């Protein structure tokens, strides 16, 4: 997991150098990213990196990849033709991935971007990029103030799980999707339903 975590941190840093820092970044619930057991409350290195640079990580519902549908569709689009090819050297693969990235950014239009390509859409934005030579830290960073967001579906028993902890909301909410937000500055965990506060708890993180 340590090696995978380093790769994720490097990838995020490279994206933020090239594309700019987003307000939020969707993340799945892999143990390397979300943590596991009591240690999850210390927040993973990925979460701490996001908070350090003002990015809110958004954890999609566990076992529901359709909540990250655009990424899943993209993976399905490029993986099969890419993996069917044989590359003699790592450099050949890197060049092919560079060409793929260029094509995706400059040729593919998106309805959600008003029929623009990603490159056209970014021209109208004020992007906050990390410096090109910035070395993205891979060590455990001090906990910064920010918001960690979890999209969770209430179970039949009326509970939801956040960072391996179970919280009760009542069976009347079962089946509903809630936004659970940890505010690391105020020490709150808040459940939102349709943008309204449903319940709030004091929440102590393990800031070691």
């Amino acid at each position: 997991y340590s090696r995978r975590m380093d790769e994720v941190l490097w990838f995020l840093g490279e994206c933020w150098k090239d594309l700019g820092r987003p307000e939020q970044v969707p993340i799945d619930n892999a143990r390397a990213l979300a943590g596991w057991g009591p240690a999850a409350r210390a927040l993973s290195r990925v979460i701490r990196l996001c908070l350090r640079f003002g990015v809110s990580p958004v954890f999609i519902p566990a076992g529901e990849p359709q909540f990250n549908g655009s990424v899943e569709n993209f993976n399905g689009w490029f993986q099969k033709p890419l993996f069917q090819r044989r590359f003699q050297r790592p450099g050949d693969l890197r060049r092919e991935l560079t060409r793929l990235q260029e094509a995706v950014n400059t040729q593919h239009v998106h309805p959600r971007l008003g029929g623009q390509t990603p490159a056209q859409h970014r021209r109208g934005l004020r992007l906050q990029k990390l410096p090109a030579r910035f070395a993205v830290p891979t060590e455990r960073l001090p906990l910064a103030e920010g918001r960690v967001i979890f999209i969770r579906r209430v179970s039949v028993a009326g509970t939801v799980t956040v960072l391996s902890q179970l919280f009760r909301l009542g069976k009347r909410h079962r089946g509903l999707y809630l936004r659970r937000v940890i505010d690391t500055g105020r020490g709150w965990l808040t459940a939102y339903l349709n943008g309204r506060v449903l319940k709030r708890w004091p929440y102590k993180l393990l800031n070691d």
Side-chain angles (χ1 to χ4, degrees):
Y1 281 120
S2 179
R3 180 177 178 182
R4 182 185 177 188
M5 183 75 82
D6 289 347
E7 292 172 351
V8 171
L9 295 169
W10 173 85
F11 176 78
L12 287 175
E14 292 302 306
C15 286
W16 298 347
K17 291 177 185 180
D18 184 35
L19 304 176
R21 287 181 288 130
E23 292 183 1
Q24 299 180 344
V25 58
I27 301 177
D28 66 23
N29 295 273
R31 291 188 181 187
L33 308 179
W36 181 255
R41 290 176 57 197
L43 300 186
S44 71
R45 285 188 286 154
V46 167
I47 296 175
R48 288 175 179 247
L49 179 73
C50 289
L51 296 178
R52 163 66 177 80
F53 290 104
V55 178
S56 291
V58 181
F59 287 89
I60 65 174
E64 300 187 47
Q66 67 272 18
F67 270 78
N68 207 8
S70 59
V71 172
E72 297 299 326
N73 290 337
F74 179 76
N75 288 341
W77 170 71
F78 92 91
Q79 283 185 352
K80 185 175 181 180
L82 184 67
F83 292 162
Q84 285 176 342
R85 295 187 56 183
R86 295 180 64 86
F87 298 94
Q88 298 296 325
R89 295 175 295 273
D92 297 336
L93 175 59
R94 285 193 291 269
R95 282 189 290 273
E96 186 63 24
L97 289 174
T98 299
R99 285 194 290 267
L100 173 65
Q101 178 178 314
E102 182 70 15
V104 169
N105 286 328
T106 61
Q107 298 177 26
H108 287 265
V109 298
H110 294 265
R112 291 186 178 181
L113 300 180
Q116 295 180 314
T117 67
Q120 290 170 334
H121 177 70
R122 287 199 299 272
R123 292 191 191 110
L125 302 177
R126 286 188 174 183
L127 302 177
Q128 296 182 333
K129 297 183 179 182
L130 296 181
R133 295 189 178 185
F134 179 76
V136 176
T138 57
E139 72 274 9
R140 190 180 192 82
L141 295 172
L143 186 59
E145 293 187 7
R147 290 158 57 91
V148 187
I149 302 170
F150 302 83
I151 310 299
R152 292 293 183 262
R153 188 177 186 181
V154 182
S155 72
V156 174
T159 62
V160 292
T161 301
V162 171
L163 296 179
S164 298
Q165 289 182 286
L166 194 70
F167 295 87
R168 296 191 179 279
L169 286 156
K171 292 184 178 180
R172 67 185 182 278
H173 300 301
R174 59 189 175 187
L176 298 179
Y177 288 95
L178 306 178
R179 289 171 64 90
R180 307 294 298 272
V181 180
I182 294 176
D183 186 325
T184 61
R186 297 177 179 178
W188 290 343
L189 170 63
T190 306
Y192 292 91
L193 176 61
N194 298 326
R196 296 184 177 181
V197 175
L198 184 63
K199 194 170 182 179
R200 176 171 285 156
W201 300 262
Y203 195 80
K204 183 173 178 58
L205 290 160
L206 302 179
N207 189 14
D208 57 350

